[in-house]
Amino acid sequence: MNAATDLPSNVPTDAPTPRFRPRPWQHLETPYDVELWIAEHNQSMQENMRLTETGCGICFCLNEGGQIFLQTGTDGAVILELTAEAQWVAPLISAAARVEAPQSSLWILPDDTLIQLVLGLSSLIATSMLVVGHQFGSRRSKTPVKRRY
């Protein structure tokens, strides 16, 4: 974090002020904690994002470096995109979701993996932040993912 701006260190200080700011992460210890977190963030997204906006989701900044962008689709799929610096966490995601790592940085997981995934990542997260305009999987062609809410 950049102490002067309270932004992640990879955000230039001359960049425009972002619409959403990072929030310190509170470690989640039980599936119930994760369910409450999901409900809180769904409500926050509904209140703060326009229906016409795309690329909406959550960005997790990891304690040891890198970011994970998370989005859910109307079909319940969990879409993750890892930055290059966050590839170190891929084995944990594979274990939590019981899937093989994809060839790209984009993961598409079944809906029943979200709680276990967030629970498994919880101790590794420094901050979380709502995001809009993130181009999930922009390096590959895919159909747009619709938001669940």
Short mmCIF file of all heavy atoms in Angstrom, two decimals, residues 16-56:
data_model
loop_
_atom_site.label_atom_id
_atom_site.label_comp_id
_atom_site.label_asym_id
_atom_site.label_seq_id
_atom_site.Cartn_x
_atom_site.Cartn_y
_atom_site.Cartn_z
N PRO A 16 -6.13 9.00 -11.77
CA PRO A 16 -7.35 9.57 -11.20
C PRO A 16 -7.81 8.76 -9.99
O PRO A 16 -7.57 7.56 -9.90
CB PRO A 16 -8.37 9.47 -12.34
CG PRO A 16 -7.74 8.69 -13.42
CD PRO A 16 -6.29 8.52 -13.11
N THR A 17 -8.46 9.43 -9.06
CA THR A 17 -8.94 8.76 -7.86
C THR A 17 -9.93 7.67 -8.26
O THR A 17 -10.90 7.94 -8.97
CB THR A 17 -9.64 9.76 -6.91
OG1 THR A 17 -8.70 10.79 -6.60
CG2 THR A 17 -10.10 9.09 -5.63
N PRO A 18 -9.68 6.44 -7.83
CA PRO A 18 -10.60 5.36 -8.21
C PRO A 18 -11.95 5.51 -7.52
O PRO A 18 -12.06 6.12 -6.45
CB PRO A 18 -9.88 4.10 -7.74
CG PRO A 18 -8.91 4.56 -6.72
CD PRO A 18 -8.58 5.98 -7.02
N ARG A 19 -12.97 4.98 -8.16
CA ARG A 19 -14.32 5.04 -7.61
C ARG A 19 -14.45 4.22 -6.33
O ARG A 19 -15.14 4.61 -5.40
CB ARG A 19 -15.28 4.51 -8.68
CG ARG A 19 -16.72 4.68 -8.31
CD ARG A 19 -17.53 4.56 -9.57
NE ARG A 19 -18.72 3.81 -9.32
CZ ARG A 19 -19.37 3.11 -10.21
NH1 ARG A 19 -18.90 3.02 -11.44
NH2 ARG A 19 -20.46 2.48 -9.91
N PHE A 20 -13.79 3.08 -6.27
CA PHE A 20 -13.83 2.22 -5.09
C PHE A 20 -12.44 2.14 -4.49
O PHE A 20 -11.44 2.15 -5.20
CB PHE A 20 -14.33 0.82 -5.47
CG PHE A 20 -15.67 0.84 -6.12
CD1 PHE A 20 -15.82 0.53 -7.47
CD2 PHE A 20 -16.82 1.17 -5.40
CE1 PHE A 20 -17.06 0.55 -8.08
CE2 PHE A 20 -18.06 1.20 -6.00
CZ PHE A 20 -18.18 0.89 -7.34
N ARG A 21 -12.38 2.07 -3.19
CA ARG A 21 -11.11 2.03 -2.49
C ARG A 21 -10.93 0.67 -1.81
O ARG A 21 -11.90 0.04 -1.42
CB ARG A 21 -11.05 3.15 -1.47
CG ARG A 21 -11.20 4.50 -2.19
CD ARG A 21 -11.01 5.69 -1.34
NE ARG A 21 -9.73 5.90 -0.72
CZ ARG A 21 -8.65 6.40 -1.31
NH1 ARG A 21 -8.67 6.68 -2.58
NH2 ARG A 21 -7.56 6.63 -0.63
N PRO A 22 -9.68 0.25 -1.67
CA PRO A 22 -9.43 -1.02 -0.98
C PRO A 22 -9.91 -0.97 0.47
O PRO A 22 -9.80 0.05 1.13
CB PRO A 22 -7.91 -1.16 -1.02
CG PRO A 22 -7.44 -0.19 -2.04
CD PRO A 22 -8.47 0.90 -2.12
N ARG A 23 -10.44 -2.10 0.90
CA ARG A 23 -10.88 -2.24 2.30
C ARG A 23 -10.00 -3.29 2.95
O ARG A 23 -9.78 -4.36 2.36
CB ARG A 23 -12.33 -2.70 2.35
CG ARG A 23 -13.31 -1.66 1.82
CD ARG A 23 -14.71 -2.18 1.78
NE ARG A 23 -15.14 -2.73 3.06
CZ ARG A 23 -16.32 -3.24 3.29
NH1 ARG A 23 -17.21 -3.30 2.34
NH2 ARG A 23 -16.63 -3.72 4.48
N PRO A 24 -9.51 -3.02 4.15
CA PRO A 24 -8.71 -4.04 4.84
C PRO A 24 -9.53 -5.33 4.98
O PRO A 24 -10.73 -5.28 5.23
CB PRO A 24 -8.44 -3.43 6.21
CG PRO A 24 -8.61 -1.95 6.02
CD PRO A 24 -9.66 -1.80 4.94
N TRP A 25 -8.88 -6.44 4.79
CA TRP A 25 -9.55 -7.73 4.83
C TRP A 25 -9.65 -8.21 6.27
O TRP A 25 -8.70 -8.12 7.03
CB TRP A 25 -8.77 -8.74 4.00
CG TRP A 25 -9.43 -10.07 3.94
CD1 TRP A 25 -9.05 -11.19 4.62
CD2 TRP A 25 -10.59 -10.43 3.20
NE1 TRP A 25 -9.91 -12.23 4.33
CE2 TRP A 25 -10.86 -11.79 3.45
CE3 TRP A 25 -11.42 -9.74 2.33
CZ2 TRP A 25 -11.92 -12.46 2.86
CZ3 TRP A 25 -12.47 -10.42 1.75
CH2 TRP A 25 -12.72 -11.76 2.02
N GLN A 26 -10.80 -8.70 6.62
CA GLN A 26 -11.01 -9.33 7.92
C GLN A 26 -11.06 -10.84 7.68
O GLN A 26 -11.91 -11.32 6.93
CB GLN A 26 -12.31 -8.85 8.55
CG GLN A 26 -12.52 -9.40 9.94
CD GLN A 26 -13.75 -8.81 10.60
OE1 GLN A 26 -14.37 -7.88 10.08
NE2 GLN A 26 -14.11 -9.35 11.73
N HIS A 27 -10.15 -11.56 8.30
CA HIS A 27 -10.04 -13.01 8.09
C HIS A 27 -11.37 -13.69 8.38
O HIS A 27 -12.01 -13.45 9.40
CB HIS A 27 -8.94 -13.57 8.99
CG HIS A 27 -8.74 -15.04 8.84
ND1 HIS A 27 -8.29 -15.62 7.66
CD2 HIS A 27 -8.94 -16.07 9.69
CE1 HIS A 27 -8.22 -16.92 7.82
NE2 HIS A 27 -8.61 -17.22 9.04
N LEU A 28 -11.80 -14.55 7.47
CA LEU A 28 -13.04 -15.31 7.61
C LEU A 28 -12.68 -16.72 8.05
O LEU A 28 -11.82 -17.36 7.44
CB LEU A 28 -13.80 -15.33 6.29
CG LEU A 28 -14.07 -13.95 5.67
CD1 LEU A 28 -14.69 -14.09 4.29
CD2 LEU A 28 -14.93 -13.11 6.58
N GLU A 29 -13.34 -17.21 9.08
CA GLU A 29 -12.95 -18.49 9.66
C GLU A 29 -13.92 -19.63 9.44
O GLU A 29 -13.56 -20.79 9.58
CB GLU A 29 -12.70 -18.32 11.16
CG GLU A 29 -11.54 -17.39 11.45
CD GLU A 29 -11.25 -17.23 12.92
OE1 GLU A 29 -11.88 -17.92 13.74
OE2 GLU A 29 -10.37 -16.42 13.25
N THR A 30 -15.17 -19.32 9.10
CA THR A 30 -16.17 -20.38 8.94
C THR A 30 -16.96 -20.16 7.65
O THR A 30 -17.00 -19.04 7.12
CB THR A 30 -17.18 -20.38 10.12
OG1 THR A 30 -17.97 -19.18 10.04
CG2 THR A 30 -16.48 -20.46 11.46
N PRO A 31 -17.62 -21.20 7.15
CA PRO A 31 -18.48 -21.01 5.98
C PRO A 31 -19.56 -19.96 6.23
O PRO A 31 -19.92 -19.20 5.32
CB PRO A 31 -19.09 -22.40 5.76
CG PRO A 31 -18.06 -23.35 6.31
CD PRO A 31 -17.49 -22.63 7.51
N TYR A 32 -20.05 -19.88 7.45
CA TYR A 32 -21.06 -18.86 7.78
C TYR A 32 -20.47 -17.46 7.62
O TYR A 32 -21.14 -16.56 7.09
CB TYR A 32 -21.58 -19.08 9.20
CG TYR A 32 -22.63 -18.07 9.60
CD1 TYR A 32 -23.91 -18.12 9.07
CD2 TYR A 32 -22.33 -17.05 10.51
CE1 TYR A 32 -24.88 -17.19 9.43
CE2 TYR A 32 -23.29 -16.11 10.87
CZ TYR A 32 -24.55 -16.19 10.32
OH TYR A 32 -25.50 -15.26 10.67
N ASP A 33 -19.21 -17.25 8.05
CA ASP A 33 -18.55 -15.95 7.86
C ASP A 33 -18.49 -15.59 6.38
O ASP A 33 -18.73 -14.45 5.99
CB ASP A 33 -17.12 -15.98 8.41
CG ASP A 33 -17.03 -16.13 9.91
OD1 ASP A 33 -18.03 -15.85 10.61
OD2 ASP A 33 -15.93 -16.52 10.38
N VAL A 34 -18.17 -16.58 5.54
CA VAL A 34 -18.08 -16.34 4.10
C VAL A 34 -19.45 -16.00 3.53
O VAL A 34 -19.58 -15.09 2.71
CB VAL A 34 -17.46 -17.55 3.36
CG1 VAL A 34 -17.46 -17.33 1.86
CG2 VAL A 34 -16.04 -17.82 3.87
N GLU A 35 -20.49 -16.71 3.96
CA GLU A 35 -21.84 -16.42 3.48
C GLU A 35 -22.25 -14.99 3.83
O GLU A 35 -22.85 -14.29 3.01
CB GLU A 35 -22.83 -17.43 4.05
CG GLU A 35 -22.69 -18.81 3.45
CD GLU A 35 -23.58 -19.85 4.11
OE1 GLU A 35 -24.32 -19.52 5.05
OE2 GLU A 35 -23.52 -21.01 3.65
N LEU A 36 -21.90 -14.54 5.03
CA LEU A 36 -22.21 -13.16 5.42
C LEU A 36 -21.43 -12.17 4.56
O LEU A 36 -21.97 -11.15 4.13
CB LEU A 36 -21.89 -12.93 6.90
CG LEU A 36 -22.83 -13.59 7.90
CD1 LEU A 36 -22.33 -13.36 9.33
CD2 LEU A 36 -24.25 -13.06 7.75
N TRP A 37 -20.16 -12.47 4.30
CA TRP A 37 -19.33 -11.61 3.45
C TRP A 37 -19.93 -11.52 2.05
O TRP A 37 -20.02 -10.44 1.48
CB TRP A 37 -17.89 -12.14 3.41
CG TRP A 37 -17.03 -11.34 2.50
CD1 TRP A 37 -16.36 -10.18 2.81
CD2 TRP A 37 -16.76 -11.61 1.12
NE1 TRP A 37 -15.70 -9.72 1.70
CE2 TRP A 37 -15.93 -10.57 0.65
CE3 TRP A 37 -17.15 -12.61 0.24
CZ2 TRP A 37 -15.47 -10.52 -0.66
CZ3 TRP A 37 -16.69 -12.56 -1.06
CH2 TRP A 37 -15.87 -11.52 -1.50
N ILE A 38 -20.35 -12.66 1.49
CA ILE A 38 -20.95 -12.68 0.16
C ILE A 38 -22.21 -11.82 0.13
O ILE A 38 -22.41 -11.01 -0.77
CB ILE A 38 -21.25 -14.13 -0.30
CG1 ILE A 38 -19.94 -14.89 -0.57
CG2 ILE A 38 -22.14 -14.13 -1.54
CD1 ILE A 38 -20.13 -16.39 -0.76
N ALA A 39 -23.06 -11.98 1.13
CA ALA A 39 -24.31 -11.20 1.19
C ALA A 39 -24.01 -9.70 1.27
O ALA A 39 -24.64 -8.89 0.58
CB ALA A 39 -25.15 -11.65 2.38
N GLU A 40 -23.03 -9.33 2.10
CA GLU A 40 -22.66 -7.92 2.25
C GLU A 40 -22.14 -7.35 0.93
O GLU A 40 -22.53 -6.25 0.52
CB GLU A 40 -21.59 -7.78 3.33
CG GLU A 40 -21.04 -6.38 3.45
CD GLU A 40 -19.84 -6.32 4.39
OE1 GLU A 40 -19.90 -6.92 5.47
OE2 GLU A 40 -18.85 -5.66 4.03
N HIS A 41 -21.28 -8.10 0.24
CA HIS A 41 -20.72 -7.59 -1.01
C HIS A 41 -21.73 -7.59 -2.15
O HIS A 41 -21.71 -6.69 -2.99
CB HIS A 41 -19.44 -8.36 -1.37
CG HIS A 41 -18.25 -7.77 -0.69
ND1 HIS A 41 -18.00 -7.96 0.65
CD2 HIS A 41 -17.29 -6.95 -1.15
CE1 HIS A 41 -16.92 -7.29 0.97
NE2 HIS A 41 -16.47 -6.68 -0.09
N ASN A 42 -22.64 -8.56 -2.18
CA ASN A 42 -23.70 -8.52 -3.18
C ASN A 42 -24.55 -7.27 -3.00
O ASN A 42 -24.89 -6.58 -3.97
CB ASN A 42 -24.58 -9.77 -3.11
CG ASN A 42 -24.02 -10.92 -3.90
OD1 ASN A 42 -23.21 -10.73 -4.80
ND2 ASN A 42 -24.43 -12.12 -3.56
N GLN A 43 -24.88 -6.95 -1.76
CA GLN A 43 -25.68 -5.75 -1.49
C GLN A 43 -24.91 -4.49 -1.89
O GLN A 43 -25.46 -3.59 -2.52
CB GLN A 43 -26.08 -5.68 -0.02
CG GLN A 43 -26.92 -4.46 0.31
CD GLN A 43 -27.38 -4.44 1.75
OE1 GLN A 43 -27.18 -5.38 2.50
NE2 GLN A 43 -28.00 -3.35 2.13
N SER A 44 -23.65 -4.44 -1.54
CA SER A 44 -22.82 -3.29 -1.88
C SER A 44 -22.72 -3.11 -3.39
O SER A 44 -22.79 -1.99 -3.90
CB SER A 44 -21.43 -3.45 -1.27
OG SER A 44 -20.64 -2.32 -1.52
N MET A 45 -22.58 -4.22 -4.12
CA MET A 45 -22.50 -4.14 -5.57
C MET A 45 -23.83 -3.65 -6.16
O MET A 45 -23.84 -2.82 -7.07
CB MET A 45 -22.11 -5.49 -6.16
CG MET A 45 -20.67 -5.87 -5.83
SD MET A 45 -20.22 -7.51 -6.39
CE MET A 45 -19.81 -7.15 -8.09
N GLN A 46 -24.94 -4.13 -5.63
CA GLN A 46 -26.24 -3.69 -6.12
C GLN A 46 -26.44 -2.21 -5.88
O GLN A 46 -27.03 -1.51 -6.71
CB GLN A 46 -27.35 -4.50 -5.44
CG GLN A 46 -27.40 -5.94 -5.91
CD GLN A 46 -28.41 -6.76 -5.14
OE1 GLN A 46 -29.31 -6.24 -4.51
NE2 GLN A 46 -28.25 -8.08 -5.19
N GLU A 47 -25.97 -1.71 -4.76
CA GLU A 47 -26.15 -0.30 -4.41
C GLU A 47 -25.20 0.63 -5.15
O GLU A 47 -25.51 1.80 -5.36
CB GLU A 47 -25.95 -0.11 -2.90
CG GLU A 47 -27.03 -0.75 -2.07
CD GLU A 47 -26.72 -0.75 -0.58
OE1 GLU A 47 -25.62 -0.33 -0.18
OE2 GLU A 47 -27.60 -1.19 0.19
N ASN A 48 -24.02 0.14 -5.54
CA ASN A 48 -22.97 1.02 -6.07
C ASN A 48 -22.65 0.86 -7.54
O ASN A 48 -21.86 1.62 -8.07
CB ASN A 48 -21.69 0.82 -5.26
CG ASN A 48 -21.85 1.30 -3.85
OD1 ASN A 48 -21.99 2.49 -3.61
ND2 ASN A 48 -21.86 0.38 -2.90
N MET A 49 -23.23 -0.14 -8.19
CA MET A 49 -22.92 -0.37 -9.60
C MET A 49 -24.17 -0.28 -10.44
O MET A 49 -25.23 -0.74 -10.03
CB MET A 49 -22.26 -1.74 -9.76
CG MET A 49 -20.93 -1.81 -9.06
SD MET A 49 -20.21 -3.44 -9.22
CE MET A 49 -18.71 -3.21 -8.28
N ARG A 50 -24.01 0.33 -11.61
CA ARG A 50 -25.13 0.45 -12.52
C ARG A 50 -25.33 -0.85 -13.30
O ARG A 50 -24.37 -1.55 -13.60
CB ARG A 50 -24.88 1.59 -13.49
CG ARG A 50 -24.79 2.96 -12.82
CD ARG A 50 -24.38 4.00 -13.87
NE ARG A 50 -23.64 5.12 -13.34
CZ ARG A 50 -22.36 5.12 -12.96
NH1 ARG A 50 -21.64 4.04 -13.02
NH2 ARG A 50 -21.78 6.20 -12.51
N LEU A 51 -26.56 -1.16 -13.65
CA LEU A 51 -26.86 -2.38 -14.40
C LEU A 51 -26.17 -2.40 -15.76
O LEU A 51 -25.93 -3.45 -16.33
CB LEU A 51 -28.36 -2.56 -14.57
CG LEU A 51 -29.12 -2.92 -13.29
CD1 LEU A 51 -30.62 -2.96 -13.55
CD2 LEU A 51 -28.63 -4.25 -12.73
N THR A 52 -25.83 -1.23 -16.29
CA THR A 52 -25.19 -1.15 -17.61
C THR A 52 -23.68 -1.35 -17.52
O THR A 52 -23.02 -1.50 -18.55
CB THR A 52 -25.47 0.21 -18.26
OG1 THR A 52 -25.03 1.25 -17.36
CG2 THR A 52 -26.95 0.37 -18.55
N GLU A 53 -23.13 -1.37 -16.32
CA GLU A 53 -21.68 -1.53 -16.17
C GLU A 53 -21.29 -2.99 -16.36
O GLU A 53 -22.03 -3.90 -15.99
CB GLU A 53 -21.21 -1.03 -14.80
CG GLU A 53 -21.32 0.46 -14.68
CD GLU A 53 -20.83 0.99 -13.36
OE1 GLU A 53 -21.34 0.53 -12.31
OE2 GLU A 53 -19.94 1.86 -13.37
N THR A 54 -20.14 -3.18 -16.94
CA THR A 54 -19.62 -4.53 -17.16
C THR A 54 -18.30 -4.69 -16.40
O THR A 54 -17.73 -3.72 -15.91
CB THR A 54 -19.38 -4.80 -18.66
OG1 THR A 54 -18.43 -3.84 -19.13
CG2 THR A 54 -20.67 -4.71 -19.44
N GLY A 55 -17.83 -5.93 -16.33
CA GLY A 55 -16.56 -6.19 -15.65
C GLY A 55 -16.65 -5.93 -14.17
O GLY A 55 -15.67 -5.53 -13.54
N CYS A 56 -17.82 -6.18 -13.58
CA CYS A 56 -18.03 -5.92 -12.16
C CYS A 56 -17.61 -7.13 -11.34
O CYS A 56 -17.86 -8.27 -11.72
CB CYS A 56 -19.50 -5.63 -11.90
SG CYS A 56 -20.12 -4.21 -12.80
#
